[in-house]
Amino acid sequence: LSAPFSLREHLVTIIGADAVRDDAETLAVHSRDKWFASVLPEVAVFPTNTEMVSAVLRFANQEEIPVTARGAGVGYVGGCVPVERGIALSLARMNRIKEVHAADGVAVVEPGVITGVLQAAAREQGMFYPPDPASLNECSIGGNIATNAGGPRCMKYGVTRNYVLGLEVVLASGEVLRTGSRTHKNKTGFDLVGMFVGSEGLLGVVTEATLRLLPLPPARAVISASFPELQQAADAVQRILAAGFLPAALEVADGFTLQAARAHVGKAIVPEGEGHILVEIDGQEASVRSEAAVLAALLREHGALHLEEAFGDEGERLWELRRKFSESLKATGLTKLNEDIVVPRSRLVDLAEFAAGLREKYGYPVACFGHAGDGNIHTNIMAADYDKPQVRERVQQALDELFAQVLAWGGVITGEHGVGLAKKRWWPEATTPVSRGVHAAMKKALDPKGILNPGKFVGPE
Ligand SMILES: Cc1cc2nc3c(=O)[nH]c(=O)nc-3n(C[C@H](O)[C@H](O)[C@H](O)COP(=O)(O)OP(=O)(O)OC[C@H]3O[C@@H](n4cnc5c(N)ncnc54)[C@H](O)[C@@H]3O)c2cc1C
């Protein structure tokens, strides 16, 4: 940096004083997300347009200053933690919905738009933006794109990647790349959109997204069913699919999760049994009603202990029960380490049994619940005194075993949260040397000086 000016002063000259902050409170907020790691940036910047992002990156690249993009900061893996300090680049002020075009089935948004806000804007025009991370009232579209976020509806509707048609990305050099289009099909060149989706801020900074919208299904039904054993709940999942249903969501919870919920919200609300599923279907009113009746009969015949159906907004009541699972685990007072592993769908019961084994061996409760339809089961290790180094090390050992088994089954270590810092330890086991080489080559091509989100899973070997 050219003396005697500080980093802050340089940035003020480039993008103006309103967009640059380095007070202690702002730096603390920008040091972390919802995971445990925390590193203070030297300065935080708040651009309001693409030109400002480009100017910051051009300068940072020239001076080799680390830049870590940040959406809403509610990630689960420490992805936006500025490990090598430098500049925290917040996209929070770029939060305009530029367009919702029902006839074209697209929305054009800035990255700081909150996911739930976009969903509501789409709904007003009878349109539907399906990706629904549980954090949707807080997280940003830019963060969803950078982590390829998922949620319960992925079973039928897919993940964020399936809804990104076009992107504007500022590269490390400050150049602005526009790729993709507002059409629903496009095969012009490589799939650069796909390359940036899920790239966790390591390859470029997303400054605009053109998203695919679907027609909003006018009706929906939710069915909650509990079973004596988890095995029956898992069998019910397979039966539903074998009968030709493609539910919008198909969620499962194990006995441990149900017990925690009973302790927290009471037996009256949480149905009896050691396994639970929640099924949502959507479509036209008449077909939803008739499908719901067939599904309910199928689940009763399969031995459901307790079964409840709800139509339209009433379904929220049953989803509320599902949301209580997470809340109940947190209410135990233990630290909840939520691992978003994915196993082949037929391994669901094996996973729960393996989790029970870990519980025995390490003494930490393990709760499994989540998106059974796509095998994405949130496996929560519950630890007391997680701030103690020896506890952390022991939890890491338990996770070593869990991830090794998941990989042996042909599963993956993260289905939706990303690698970030939380999964960095297992990145080598989860990938091949050739795959790591391709990642490194892409990083080098797009960010030769390694200024974008350094210290994460791809960087100098
Ligand atoms: C209670 C709770 C529930 C959750 N449920 C789900 C769930 O169901 N499904 C799910 O997938 N996730 C879930 N998450 C995780 C989290 O909400 C998602 O990962 C979300 O996509 C993060 O968005 P964000 O805006 O907070 O991103 P941040 O945390 O700010 O950033 C995440 C990553 O994206 C990068 N990034 C952010 N914006 C940009 C940009 N514009 N350009 C380039 N890179 C960028 C950052 O550098 C970082 O690597 C949950 C989190 C919480 C706290």
Side-chain angles (χ1 to χ4, degrees), residues 1 27 54 65 92 116 125 132 151 165 213 225 275 327-328 340 344 349 356 363 371 382 390 410 428:
L1 282 182
L27 296 186
S54 169
I65 296 165
Q125 298 203 27
D132 61 340
L165 299 172
L213 301 179
E327 192 185 302
S328 307
D340 66 320
V349 173
H371 320 313
M382 311 289 302
Q390 64 273 29

Side-chain angles (χ1 to χ4, degrees), residues 241-297:
L241 299 172
F245 289 98
L246 181 56
L250 191 41
E251 299 282 305
V252 72
D254 71 356
F256 184 86
T257 306
L258 293 168
Q259 279 158 24
R262 277 178 207 119
H264 181 55
V265 294
K267 287 187 185 159
I269 303 173
V270 185
E272 57 186 320
E274 294 292 300
H276 176 264
I277 64 168
L278 194 76
V279 192
E280 176 165 319
I281 52 174
D282 60 7
Q284 297 295 323
E285 178 81 31
S287 61
V288 165
R289 292 226 170 236
S290 71
E291 282 188 30
V294 178
L295 269 174

Side-chain angles (χ1 to χ4, degrees), residues 33-34 68-76 79-80 91 111 132-135 138-152 200-202 204-207 330 371 378 416-417 453 456:
D33 60 5
K34 296 285 178 184
T68 302
R70 178 185 178 92
V74 292
Y76 256 159
C80 65
L91 283 307
D132 61 340
S135 50
E138 295 173 281
C139 63
S140 73
I141 293 291
N144 291 174
I145 291 171
T147 56
N148 195 11
E200 298 192 32
L202 293 164
V205 177
V206 173
T207 46
K330 283 180 191 151
H371 320 313
H378 294 281
E416 47 183 31
H417 297 161
N453 206 354
K456 300 289 164 34

Side-chain angles (χ1 to χ4, degrees), residues 142-151 154 158-164 194 196-200 415-418:
N144 291 174
I145 291 171
T147 56
N148 195 11
C154 298
V159 291
T160 299
R161 170 66 191 103
N162 301 108
Y163 295 87
V164 187
F196 286 105
V197 175
S199 63
E200 298 192 32
E416 47 183 31
H417 297 161

